Amino acid sequence: MATRTRILWTTAAAFGFTACTGATFGERSAGEDTYLEPNDFHDTGDGREVGLGSIGVDPATEVSFVVQAVRTRDEDDTVIDERKTLFAVPPEAEAPSGQSDLTHLSDLRIIFPGDEVVVLGELEGADNLGFLDARTLQTLETLPALDGARYHGTRLSPSKQYLAVCDNNQSPCPIHLIDLATRTTEIIPHDGFWLEAMWLRGSDTLFAVIFYADDQETETDETRARVLSFPMEEVQRCGFAVDAGTWCGRTIDVELPGASPDWLFSFTWLGIAPDDGVVAVPVIVGGQHVVALVSPADGAVRTVDDAHGPVGFTPDGSTVVSYRYHTEAVPCDEGVDPEECPPPETTPQLALIDVEDLTVATIDLPTIEAPEYFVTRTGNLVVVADAWGSGRLVLADLDQGTASSLRGPDVNLTELVSLDDAGELWIADDGLFRVDLVEGLVEQVGPGLSPVTINVLPDHHRLVMDDGEGRALVFFDPETRQQTARATLPLPAPAPGS
């Protein structure tokens, strides 16, 4: 591979920081909402730099979508010109089937609601939704965001009709509900100071948690959270009317006394069980981390102390995978000044919560400082990384209650693909890595490949990744471990005078 200079630009578009503990958001799969902005740049050889963003895959056609950015800098290293192009690349093609100039937009994201693809991008501080032909990328319609909203955190409903997304131009970040069929938008009303929401997996039911603070005027302690469910059919039937501070049509409306949001590292993110049997709500109560388990069926609330989020679930939904920190005093010699005694030792642990009886089993993670983990789709295995950066992965066997470091190179869980029933993960981390969950081994594969982004074409049984140079998408057969195709992405002509 040719020698090149790498220019790495990190982003934290989702949360404002780069290290998140708890269940990872690094898994990539066909059909998921994808943040497209490039963040890994390389020299082009003509005085410019080029980079690609994460790769989105249309679940119906398995066409891959990626944004390529090409920048020119002046002598002071200031960007004086930037071109951004969205490319559509059919499975195992050698060239794109379509492209669209998105230079005028920023903070780009893509969603896959059906026959069209929808690209969200900011223009002069407000978002626009572009409805594009899924193969040619011809713009069919543009929908400006309601009230000049600037959208973050897209969440598409199971039917793909509704898009829930936060308006970052307003405080406290109201959530807009966009009906992609009718092109209409409603804002979720609430009377608290913060709102989080997530769709159930099997129905267009939006679960939400509203947080309330102390009443400064009455000096009454109003700290609490309110967990609600909004089935879209019921909410539409009652006309989106406001009742008790929020939408009508609720099927669940319960309170968590004393609960406030968790803002950093462990944070409030609604976890949905694979079978929709329980919703996990990580909160802070009395200064302590608590996970509240809410039943979508009847609103029953049960809480587990000393449990951090965001959480994962085992494939059968029987166990919530959380984490905690176990602190143990270190013996101090008699007569030694207490201030000179060794500090307590803290060991991160996976906390495995039985959904039926709330018993908690723990697995020590002595080689991990800040656990970030992925719960496998089959079996009861958890792959754990350190959220502070690349390091030795740890494999926890929940059935055996053991954890062991995997052999092989250090990697992170920022960009990964899970192949069902294969007992393996594929990771892009400035190289392509295969994690063998049976043999407990991490190995680098694909000589000459140095991707930082990855996704999967499940029907074609192919991986798709960047080429490590910002110039192409590469298709890879995970069985033969061979590159099967490379789609070159053309660079735009240099700007006049650059």
Side-chain angles (χ1 to χ4, degrees):
M1 183 170 61
T3 303
R4 85 282 193 202
T5 301
R6 165 159 295 184
I7 307 164
L8 182 63
W9 300 87
T10 59
T11 63
F15 308 108
F17 50 89
T18 57
C20 303
T21 51
T24 181
F25 296 101
E27 184 184 13
R28 306 292 173 236
S29 58
E32 73 169 1
D33 306 347
T34 304
Y35 186 71
L36 294 174
E37 284 289 337
N39 64 359
D40 183 45
F41 283 82
H42 313 265
D43 288 342
T44 62
D46 61 3
R48 297 181 292 171
E49 59 193 44
V50 59
L52 299 181
S54 290
I55 304 165
V57 175
D58 188 323
T61 64
E62 296 198 343
V63 171
S64 299
F65 297 85
V66 68
V67 167
Q68 181 190 69
V70 181
R71 294 173 173 173
T72 303
R73 296 178 178 272
D74 62 15
E75 295 179 353
D76 297 326
D77 205 33
T78 301
V79 175
I80 58 174
D81 182 71
E82 181 175 35
R83 314 289 183 84
K84 286 192 285 191
T85 306
L86 173 66
F87 290 101
V89 182
E92 299 201 283
E94 295 183 354
S97 64
Q99 63 185 68
S100 179
D101 183 3
L102 301 182
T103 299
H104 60 298
L105 299 175
S106 61
D107 197 40
L108 295 164
R109 284 135 291 149
I110 191 169
I111 61 174
F112 303 98
D115 294 337
E116 307 162 327
V117 297
V118 179
V119 173
L120 292 84
E122 291 179 19
L123 177 62
E124 297 179 352
D127 253 280
N128 289 269
L129 284 74
F131 295 79
L132 279 61
D133 181 277
R135 295 190 73 88
T136 67
L137 295 186
Q138 176 186 358
T139 300
L140 306 174
E141 182 181 356
T142 299
L143 177 67
L146 180 68
D147 298 331
R150 183 164 61 94
Y151 287 147
H152 280 198
T154 53
R155 297 164 196 178
L156 194 61
S157 72
S159 75
K160 301 183 180 181
Q161 179 177 348
Y162 301 100
L163 178 67
V165 60
C166 169
D167 176 11
N168 228 39
N169 271 343
Q170 304 294 326
S171 180
C173 200
I175 292 180
H176 288 201
L177 184 78
I178 304 170
D179 188 325
L180 297 174
T182 64
R183 310 296 203 247
T184 56
T185 302
E186 300 284 349
I187 300 176
I188 301 179
H190 68 90
D191 50 357
F193 72 86
W194 192 257
L195 171 69
E196 291 280 346
M198 189 67 67
W199 297 102
L200 290 183
R201 298 178 187 271
S203 68
D204 284 357
T205 297
L206 191 66
F207 251 78
V209 56
I210 303 172
F211 290 98
Y212 299 83
D214 294 353
D215 190 324
Q216 300 298 322
E217 295 183 0
T218 65
E219 297 183 355
T220 301
D221 187 357
E222 296 287 345
T223 301
R224 69 191 191 283
R226 184 179 174 194
V227 181
L228 316 101
S229 65
F230 299 110
M232 286 299 101
E233 185 175 348
E234 297 298 325
V235 176
Q236 284 190 322
R237 184 175 290 120
C238 65
F240 295 95
V242 177
D243 167 34
T246 188
W247 273 337
C248 57
R250 303 179 302 279
T251 52
I252 301 297
D253 190 344
V254 295
E255 289 204 349
L256 308 178
S260 59
D262 191 356
W263 294 112
L264 192 60
F265 298 108
S266 167
F267 55 95
T268 296
W269 181 277
L270 303 186
I272 312 296
D275 60 357
D276 285 342
V278 68
V279 175
V281 186
V283 293
I284 298 291
V285 179
Q288 303 299 315
H289 294 274
V290 172
V291 169
L293 301 180
V294 182
S295 168
D298 58 13
V301 178
R302 299 171 299 159
T303 59
V304 179
D305 295 337
D306 194 14
H308 298 233
V311 305
F313 287 86
T314 53
D316 62 2
S318 66
T319 304
V320 178
V321 182
S322 178
Y323 73 103
R324 60 179 48 161
Y325 296 95
H326 175 69
T327 301
E328 188 170 347
V330 177
C332 188
D333 293 338
E334 187 176 351
V336 174
D337 187 335
E339 294 184 357
E340 297 180 0
C341 289
E345 292 183 349
T346 299
T347 303
Q349 298 176 324
L350 289 179
L352 313 174
I353 305 167
D354 187 294
V355 170
E356 290 294 326
D357 60 19
L358 300 191
T359 56
V360 180
T362 59
I363 299 177
D364 286 351
L365 303 169
T367 62
I368 299 293
E369 183 177 355
E372 179 183 31
Y373 50 84
F374 173 75
V375 184
T376 59
R377 296 288 174 258
T378 56
N380 285 330
L381 302 174
V382 179
V383 181
V384 189
D386 200 304
W388 294 123
S390 294
R392 187 63 58 87
L393 294 182
V394 169
L395 182 63
D397 186 322
L398 306 192
D399 293 330
Q400 301 298 321
T402 59
S404 57
S405 295
L406 298 182
R407 308 186 310 278
D410 295 349
V411 292
N412 61 41
L413 296 178
T414 303
E415 289 265 342
L416 67 92
V417 163
S418 171
L419 299 182
D420 290 342
D421 302 321
E424 64 184 11
L425 303 180
W426 291 85
I427 292 175
D429 187 9
D430 204 12
L432 179 61
F433 299 86
R434 177 179 178 269
V435 182
D436 189 320
L437 302 176
V438 177
E439 298 296 329
L441 176 67
V442 179
E443 56 181 333
Q444 187 167 4
V445 298
L449 293 177
S450 55
V452 295
T453 63
I454 192 170
N455 211 318
V456 63
L457 281 56
D459 291 341
H460 288 79
H461 202 66
R462 292 290 186 266
L463 305 178
V464 58
M465 65 200 77
D466 69 285
D467 66 339
E469 299 286 346
R471 302 294 193 94
L473 290 188
V474 174
F475 297 94
F476 188 89
D477 186 336
E479 290 186 357
T480 65
R481 304 192 189 186
Q482 296 293 321
Q483 175 181 312
T484 58
R486 176 183 291 254
T488 300
L489 308 176
L491 295 178
S498 63

